[in-house]
Structures are given as structure tokens and as C-alpha cells.
């Protein structure tokens, strides 16, 4: 009986160590995919700080291209809510080359998307899009439930009402998602100024920072 105590303690310590490693949430290009959630034309004028969400999506998809990270896009009931906002990509050809999945399920994790993600074989997902409290939240929870790391770009997600966005971010953090910013995620993916595409991503970052960030402005009030 006494011998079982230290063994049990060791098992608990090992489990805690494994959990701690998993909870760090480091990003690497080879294990990461980006998910652009339902940034569609009909929603664009309705979303709180919607133009910043679009600009951030453009930055993130450009970073993805520079670092060879796959991007997956969904559109919620396209017939009603329209196509993906073209400005979410720096070049039209990049949008056209990106897999776009039609859905009515609020979560991105439809059978088609789940099948596509399984082929990508990634364990970390960077998410940006709308609405934070519906499609973004439900997608993140589905991915977390399957044991994936989920990183929410806080300057790239929003809802029609600020309160819905705020509570959704709290809810996602409580569920185990990592809240981060676009620039933080981009530089974590590179890890070093010696990364071969550091100059390209730095240039994208400088250009992105010249644009007005409505979330920053809101914090200054």
C-alpha cells in the first residue's frame, strides 16, 4: 500500500507535466492551419469594428502565404449572406486558390471541412472571422474537444454587438483557447529574426500597423 503512494504521485506529476507542455500553445508553421470564418459581404457593415477584422484577415492570410501555412475558408449560407470579402486576401488569385466551404451549420466543422482538416494533419488552428459568439465560438469548441490547440486572433474576430464579442472571448479562454493578436501569432510562427521569410513578414507587419485598428482605439477611450 505504501509503495503505491509514490507511484501514484509520480503518475500525477507526469500527467501534470504533459498537461503543462500542451498548455503552452506554441505555434509552428508545419503543425498549423488558419481558419477564416464567414467574413462575408452581407455581414461587413453590421460587424463591430468590421473593417479592422477584414484588414486583420488580409494580414493573416498574407502571413500564411509567406510561411506556407494552409488556409481554409467557410461561408455561411452564401445565397443569403454573400461571398467572402475579397479584401481578406491581398490578391484575388490567392482567394481563388483557397478552399472555400459552404455551410449552414454554425460551426466550421462540417463533414466536408473535417475531412479536409484531417488530410492537412495539423494540431494547431489559428482562427479569425465572425461572429465571435456563434460560428467562431462553436468551431473553436469543436476543435478543442478533439484535442487541438486553438488560437483566437482577438483583433480578427468580432460580432454585431460588442458585448457578444467580449463574452465569447471570455468563454473561449475558459474553454482552453489561446487568445492572441495577429502580430503576436505571426512572430511566434517565425520564432527568430533568422527565419528565411522574416523580412517578408516584417514588411507585411509594418504595412498592417499603418492601418487604423479600431480595437486599439477603443482601448484608448
Amino acid at each position: 500500500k505504501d509503495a503505491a503512494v509514490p507511484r501514484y504521485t509520480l503518475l500525477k506529476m507526469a500527467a501534470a507535466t504533459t498537461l503543462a507542455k500542451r498548455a503552452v500553445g506554441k505555434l509552428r508553421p508545419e503543425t498549423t492551419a488558419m481558419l477564416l470564418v464567414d467574413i462575408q459581404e452581407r455581414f461587413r457593415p453590421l460587424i463591430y469594428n468590421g473593417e479592422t477584422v477584414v484588414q486583420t484577415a488580409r494580414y493573416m492570410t498574407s502571413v500564411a502565404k509567406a510561411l506556407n501555412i494552409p488556409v481554409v475558408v467557410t461561408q455561411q449560407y452564401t445565397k443569403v449572406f454573400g461571398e467572402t470579402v475579397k479584401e481578406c486576401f491581398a490578391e484575388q488569385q490567392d482567394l481563388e486558390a483557397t478552399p472555400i466551404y459552404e455551410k449552414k451549420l454554425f460551426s466550421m466543422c462540417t463533414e466536408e471541412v473535417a475531412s479536409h482538416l484531417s488530410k492537412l494533419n495539423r494540431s494547431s488552428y489559428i482562427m479569425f472571422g465572425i461572429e465571435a459568439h456563434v460560428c467562431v465560438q462553436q468551431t473553436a469548441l469543436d476543435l478543442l474537444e478533439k484535442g487541438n490547440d486553438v488560437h483566437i486572433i482577438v483583433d480578427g474576430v468580432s460580432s454585431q454587438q460588442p458585448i457578444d464579442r467580449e463574452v465569447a472571448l471570455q468563454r473561449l479562454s475558459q474553454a482552453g483557447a489561446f487568445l492572441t493578436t495577429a502580430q503576436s501569432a505571426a512572430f511566434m510562427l517565425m520564432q527568430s529574426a533568422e527565419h528565411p521569410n522574416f523580412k517578408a513578414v516584417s514588411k507585411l507587419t509594418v504595412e498592417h500597423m499603418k492601418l487604423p485598428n479600431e480595437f486599439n482605439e477603443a482601448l484608448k477611450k
Side-chain angles (χ1 to χ4, degrees), residues 65 97 106 151:
K65 182 179 180 180
F106 295 134
H151 301 254

Side-chain angles (χ1 to χ4, degrees), residues 27 32-37 39 52-53 55-61 63 125-130 132 136 140 150-158 165 169 172 177-189 208 213 215:
L27 288 165
T32 300
M34 295 195 189
L35 306 181
L36 190 163
V37 190
I39 305 180
T52 294
V53 171
Q55 291 164 8
T56 300
R58 183 187 182 97
Y59 172 69
M60 293 307 298
T61 57
V63 168
Y125 294 94
I126 295 175
M127 293 185 61
F128 43 95
I130 57 176
V136 172
V150 176
H151 301 254
I152 306 295
I153 304 300
V154 296
D155 44 341
V157 299
S158 196
R165 168 188 141 85
L169 291 175
L172 287 165
F178 298 101
L179 304 187
T180 188
T181 63
Q183 189 176 149
S184 177
F187 281 82
M188 185 184 287
L189 285 163
H208 180 62
N213 186 316
F215 295 116

